[in-house]
Amino acid sequence: MIIIDYKDTRPIYEQVVERFKTLILKGVMQPDEQMPSVRSLAMELSINPNTIQKAYAELERQGFIYTVKGRGSFVLGDSSLVEQRKREYVDQILKLVREVLEIGMTKMEIVLEIENLQV
């Protein structure tokens, strides 16, 4: 489920956060589904439980999970997260498009590149 890339320059907790966000946004993890316990995930990944706790705290701060005292953490069933993420990606794309237009690429060249994109 979660794989740590030790060659990645980002801290481990950030990698854990990104992996869970991707799983949640893609619908692999369903709303109200229980997250793995801190201890079990730390053992599975062979990392410090404090690292997992920090990742879960960040996921909760960003609105991806919620915690029930004594029961654990659960996926938040908020469809606005997907819309928010889409908006962030569109903003990034538009920023890049402006930059390539500034260096002389035409709108038609951009459209052709998108149409030729292999998905």
Side-chain angles (χ1 to χ4, degrees):
M1 182 185 266
I2 302 294
I3 298 170
I4 302 299
D5 180 3
Y6 292 101
K7 294 178 184 174
D8 193 328
T9 58
R10 295 177 301 157
I12 293 173
Y13 87 94
E14 285 182 11
Q15 292 182 50
V16 172
V17 168
E18 284 304 311
R19 300 293 191 304
F20 273 120
K21 284 168 61 172
T22 300
L23 292 172
I24 292 167
L25 290 171
K26 286 184 175 181
V28 175
M29 296 188 76
Q30 297 298 312
D32 299 318
E33 180 179 336
Q34 188 165 11
M35 300 286 287
S37 74
V38 170
R39 186 173 294 147
S40 68
L41 187 57
M43 286 181 61
E44 179 182 325
L45 298 175
S46 299
I47 59 177
N48 191 313
N50 292 334
T51 302
I52 301 300
Q53 188 62 46
K54 187 173 182 179
Y56 279 16
E58 182 62 21
L59 285 165
E60 188 165 6
R61 189 188 69 73
Q62 292 182 23
F64 284 87
I65 65 173
Y66 64 95
T67 301
V68 176
K69 192 166 180 86
R71 296 206 43 227
S73 297
F74 298 83
V75 175
L76 187 62
D78 187 357
S79 61
S80 68
L81 291 173
V82 174
E83 292 307 314
Q84 176 185 347
R85 184 62 125 192
K86 285 180 184 178
R87 184 74 249 161
E88 290 171 6
Y89 286 143
V90 167
D91 291 344
Q92 290 174 9
I93 291 168
L94 292 176
K95 181 182 177 211
L96 289 172
V97 167
R98 283 186 201 97
E99 289 177 14
V100 297
L101 288 172
E102 287 175 2
I103 63 168
M105 193 172 192
T106 67
K107 288 181 183 179
M108 185 53 80
E109 289 173 319
I110 295 169
V111 170
L112 288 173
E113 288 295 328
I114 293 170
E115 288 176 348
N116 291 329
L117 183 66
Q118 299 295 319
V119 181

